Amino acid sequence: MSEPRLYKTIYEITRAINSSLEPCKVLSNIVEKVTTQMDLKGSFIRLLAKDGKTLLPDASYGLSERYEKKGPVEVSKSRLDQEVLNGQIVFIQDVRKDDRFQYPEEASKEGLVSLVVLPLTAKGGKVVGVLRAYSGVERVFSEDELEFLKCVADLSGLALENARMFHALKRASELAAEYTYRMDD
């Protein structure tokens, strides 16, 4: 992936983030841009459940519905995601030969070969999910591509934080208006 293409894609992702405060819409745009611009098989964003034990599917692009719905990723059963949730970027050149994968048979049926998984971090460095980038052929990601994916993961975390703050402020405003309305009765 050329440097100008990386910058153009970052610009397009930033525009997508600024165009909506709906996390599903923003994250869907992000995984589509990552997949198409990096010529990947697909990409997937999973968010950490409130209990911190499960990664739940949130947005994906390029993957079959069967693969998307294969089941939740249980953090205790996925060494791969344990590493990523500790802040590491994990690259696996061939997922068919790596025992850190929770669903290796499903990945093989889907035609997934190489994988990069990155943490999505929110304010204060708290990891709130993961970004997975899948290749359908054995592939080594360049340093520029890994930096690009890190930037996208950071932007995704920022987008989630902004959306959550917006919805919290909106709810607080609605409660204040409701309270004022009741006081006027």
Side-chain angles (χ1 to χ4, degrees):
M1 188 171 181
S2 69
E3 195 169 294
R5 191 171 170 187
L6 289 173
Y7 289 124
K8 182 180 178 195
T9 305
I10 290 291
Y11 173 73
E12 290 173 359
I13 288 172
T14 305
R15 285 185 58 193
I17 289 170
N18 287 330
S19 69
S20 175
L21 288 169
E22 295 300 324
C24 289
K25 184 176 179 181
V26 171
L27 296 179
S28 291
N29 283 335
I30 289 171
V31 291
E32 179 183 353
K33 295 285 183 206
V34 167
T35 302
T36 57
Q37 294 301 311
M38 292 188 73
D39 299 321
L40 296 171
K41 170 84 173 157
S43 56
F44 211 148
I45 290 178
R46 290 183 172 271
L47 300 180
L48 197 58
K50 287 183 181 179
D51 64 7
K53 296 179 180 176
T54 308
L55 284 164
L56 303 171
D58 199 81
S60 69
Y61 186 84
L63 303 170
S64 70
E65 187 175 332
R66 177 190 49 79
Y67 188 76
E68 291 173 355
K69 295 181 177 180
K70 67 184 180 308
V73 174
E74 297 175 47
V75 175
S76 65
K77 294 180 180 176
S78 175
R79 288 187 302 135
L80 166 69
D81 290 300
Q82 291 171 17
E83 292 176 31
V84 176
L85 292 173
N86 283 324
Q88 297 177 32
I89 297 172
V90 176
F91 165 68
I92 299 175
Q93 193 159 343
D94 190 341
V95 297
R96 299 168 296 188
K97 300 175 183 172
D98 195 292
D99 65 352
R100 292 177 289 178
F101 226 64
Q102 185 178 354
Y103 296 102
E105 289 180 30
E106 287 80 1
S108 182
K109 288 178 187 172
E110 187 70 12
L112 306 176
V113 180
S114 295
L115 167 70
V116 176
V117 188
L118 305 101
L120 299 183
T121 54
K123 189 175 180 180
K126 180 181 175 187
V127 179
V128 296
V130 299
L131 168 64
R132 294 174 180 236
Y134 299 100
S135 174
V137 295
E138 195 163 322
R139 175 176 176 169
V140 174
F141 292 85
S142 69
E143 283 299 318
D144 286 343
E145 289 174 323
L146 292 175
E147 283 296 318
F148 166 77
L149 287 170
K150 175 75 173 111
C151 181
V152 170
D154 289 344
L155 286 172
S156 300
L158 180 65
L160 286 169
E161 188 77 17
N162 286 344
R164 286 181 179 157
M165 288 175 30
F166 170 77
H167 289 290
L169 285 172
K170 183 179 174 187
R171 181 69 184 137
S173 176
E174 290 169 354
L175 289 172
E178 186 177 305
Y179 177 76
T180 302
Y181 177 74
R182 287 185 183 167
M183 293 295 289
D184 291 341
D185 285 345

